[in-house]
Amino acid sequence: MKKIFFLIYIFLNFNFAYSQNIELKSREDVEIENLESQIKVLENKIQTIKKLKNDKDKNDLKVALVLSGGGIKGYAHLGILRVLERENIKIDYITGTSIGALIGTLYSIGYSIDDIEKVLDIINVENFLETGSDTTNLPLDKKESLKKYSFYINFDNELNFSLPKGLKGNRETYLVVKNLLKNYANIKNFDDFPIPLRIIATNLNTGETKAFSKGDVSKILIASMAIPTIFEPVEIDENIYVDGLVSRNLPVEEAYDMGADLVIASDIGAPIVKKDNYNILSVLSQISTIQSSNITNVSREKASILISPDVKDISAIASSKKNDLINLGKIAAEQQIAKIKKLPKSSANRKIEKIIEDKKEKFVINKIEYNKKFDNTTVEILDNTFKNLLNRSISKKDIENTITEVYNLKYMDKIYYSINDNILYLDGEKAHSNRIGIGANYQTGYGTTFNIGTDLFFNGKFGNNINLNFKFGDYLGLDLGTLTYKNRFGILTNVGYNESPFFLYENRRKIAKFMNREAYLNIGIFTQPTNNSMISYGILSKVSSLKQDTGGNLSRNLEYSENQTKTYLRFKYDNLDSISNPMKGIKVDLIYNFAGSFGKSKSNLYGPAYNIKGYIPINPKSSFIYGLNLASLRGDRIRADQRIRLGGIYTNINNNEFEFYGFNYQEKQVKDLISLTLGFKHKIVYSLYFNTKFNIATFTENNPLENNNSKLWKDYSKGVGISISYDSPIGPIEFSISSDLKHKKPIGSISIGYKLD
């Protein structure tokens, strides 16, 4: 028993003594142990990395060049590249975002810095960022459609509706980039480029950064430069991508992932700038800048050499600052020259790729393959168009022309292509070609009109366009039009009702206003020899009434045509680069009418009406303007509503209305007209234009209230005007002041939106 008690005693004392040595770990103790463990791991990692670094030969270190986005500020990258080339720095990898991706890609495939500069000049980044698309090669009917609506909703034949994805499409840009890349456009793996490349874009659905290493490089570049709301997003492998600057404007991390030991980062992104006053737009811009800057700051800290040109005071669209930007890039690089000189040197000269137009280079396509997502109808339509390219000698220009033909069919919104082993691979997106739209216009002397309508497109054995438009405001109108065509031939019809003003002037003072109301039917045939031209022949029949709104009893002595039927032959050509503020191209509209009226207003009338206007570029920001109007009426009785009207800032050849700076809208009524316009146009800043015009006209008057003793080639009227025009989201806004040089009385005019004829 004593032994048992003794053992219990010993056991209790042991446990008591042991318990005295137990320490309870606090939260701080646990955290300290974890940190010490991490420190040990990091110390081991540091030692390993140091050993790897010491084992490397300096000249074996891999150097990456990282180029950020920043619009026109991309010229600063060129200044940095010039310094790196001067120091013969070895570049093993390139990563880039947006304009940095474009410059990086061109440099990767061997473009010289001078040639990259020429490319930026040619594509003109300022114009590249314009919200309006280049309409040079747009079909004529498409150009007319664009003038109807300021806002629209697209939908397909299955009634899937969609708002515009962006203010500007990327069709033309894709083909431009495709040509720039030449022989490398069809290389799928970017590691196979002379300098391996990564292009950064942002997944719009997830917000994640995507570093593209393979695929259609032209298409991926377009995605990397797709500024949200400005450019349409780009679909790649069933994902939607936009500008890489949204998630990673300075892709340093991606450069290290490629295997770089050292990273040279050129950052031209917009810094956070303190402002005293904000509006709704500047708030949104500042929020975007803050988000981008916070992400970029992390990347900046990881760069081995950070070069930051001082470009904060230069707009991302200020192309006039090109030379300043290049110089700022050089200055920023020189500030880091001590570090730059320590970088590994290149052992061989970089192969320079010459910019040579290779569109005439011939090759043969034996097979066409399509994206598996295309349905049978899409494949059939594309087959019918592209089959003419098979098994014959063709060039890339032939492919581009065929793509343009597909766009003219309005079935496809985008077409992407690549060529491998004599196989043409086609990808793209179907168009939501149908749309419902609204538009509005105000013009001094004319009034206010609104337009709502829909354009429908059906593609089968024949292409069919159906449009229904309703005009209201100061004037009412309803028009139902159709185009049915196959290849370049077709039938056009229009039926509807339209109201338009008719004014009488005496001694330059408006004394009467009439409302012309007409119901009409137009049937014609047409052919389109080229994408920009159309020849049509048709018959137009209309029944009219003229109601006087103001001006006493003048209507009692005013004759008008109660009915009229005319045949016409018409030629139209339009390759202007914009429907609102063109800087180059020519527009021609020539029509010859044979008209007759019956009943009480019986008469016969014939004559031509010609309108030509063009723009000849002087430099990227300035153009010379020229124009010629010619019209003549012959017949036994020229009615009031048939007269040629001169004055205002718009020409509408359908209504015999011709512009003339210095005259009010419809101020002169004539039966013969020859007028010449000369002028100058200058882009002041983004979407803002200055115009000055001088016009001279000779005519024979046909106004019962005016002196009709004027004679063609004997009497002349001269006028001059200046205007400021802005391409707004609702259409062009124009303020003008003009004066007839004889009377020298200034006329002010305002026009808002597209003129709805």
Side-chain angles (χ1 to χ4, degrees), residues 86 99 105 245 489 528 628 645 717:
R86 186 195 69 198
I99 191 67
T105 302
L245 64 81
F489 296 87
Q528 290 184 279
L628 175 66
R645 301 154 201 173
S717 289

Side-chain angles (χ1 to χ4, degrees), residues 174 178 185-188 216 363-371 383 386 389-392 394-396 399 416-427:
Y174 172 78
K178 199 81 172 177
N186 296 314
I187 294 179
K188 297 297 184 181
D216 184 344
F363 51 88
V364 177
I365 299 295
N366 299 321
K367 184 181 179 182
I368 301 175
E369 293 184 356
Y370 303 95
N371 189 307
D383 256 345
F386 281 92
L389 300 178
L390 290 172
N391 303 316
R392 67 183 183 90
I394 61 172
S395 67
K396 288 184 179 179
I399 296 177
Y416 308 108
Y417 77 94
S418 60
I419 305 169
N420 287 300
D421 298 327
N422 301 105
I423 298 175
L424 175 65
Y425 180 80
L426 295 176
D427 191 7

Side-chain angles (χ1 to χ4, degrees), residues 104-118:
T105 302
L106 296 176
Y107 194 77
S108 166
I109 66 175
Y111 271 62
S112 70
I113 299 172
D114 288 340
D115 284 341
I116 296 174
E117 183 179 342
K118 291 177 183 177

Side-chain angles (χ1 to χ4, degrees), residues 358-414:
D358 60 353
K359 293 182 180 180
K360 295 182 180 180
E361 182 182 345
K362 299 294 183 177
F363 51 88
V364 177
I365 299 295
N366 299 321
K367 184 181 179 182
I368 301 175
E369 293 184 356
Y370 303 95
N371 189 307
K372 294 180 180 179
K373 71 179 182 182
F374 287 170
D375 55 33
N376 292 334
T377 303
T378 303
V379 172
E380 182 181 355
I381 291 172
L382 293 177
D383 256 345
N384 288 335
T385 309
F386 281 92
K387 65 183 181 182
N388 295 326
L389 300 178
L390 290 172
N391 303 316
R392 67 183 183 90
S393 181
I394 61 172
S395 67
K396 288 184 179 179
K397 184 63 176 177
D398 294 319
I399 296 177
E400 293 176 10
N401 290 338
T402 307
I403 290 174
T404 301
E405 289 183 25
V406 174
Y407 289 152
N408 292 342
L409 294 175
K410 303 182 183 70
Y411 187 78
M412 297 297 294
D413 186 48
K414 297 179 182 67

Side-chain angles (χ1 to χ4, degrees), residues 330-344:
K330 289 181 180 178
I331 292 171
E334 293 292 353
Q335 291 172 348
Q336 302 290 332
I337 195 65
K339 293 181 180 179
I340 291 174
K341 286 181 176 295
K342 294 180 180 180
L343 294 171

Side-chain angles (χ1 to χ4, degrees), residues 96-102 105 128 170 173-174 177-178 181 184-185 187-190 193 197-202 210-227 232-237 239-244 416-417 427:
T97 298
S98 197
I99 191 67
L102 176 62
T105 302
F128 181 74
N170 49 42
T173 310
Y174 172 78
V177 173
K178 199 81 172 177
L181 301 182
Y184 293 93
I187 294 179
K188 297 297 184 181
N189 193 329
F190 303 167
F193 287 5
L197 175 72
R198 296 292 184 269
I199 299 173
I200 307 303
T202 303
K210 174 69 174 180
F212 284 94
S213 61
K214 59 183 179 180
D216 184 344
V217 62
S218 304
K219 184 179 180 182
I220 293 168
L221 273 175
I222 298 303
S224 182
M225 295 186 289
I227 303 171
E232 295 179 350
V234 179
E235 182 180 344
I236 304 174
D237 298 331
N239 289 304
I240 308 298
Y241 292 94
V242 295
D243 201 319
Y416 308 108
Y417 77 94
D427 191 7

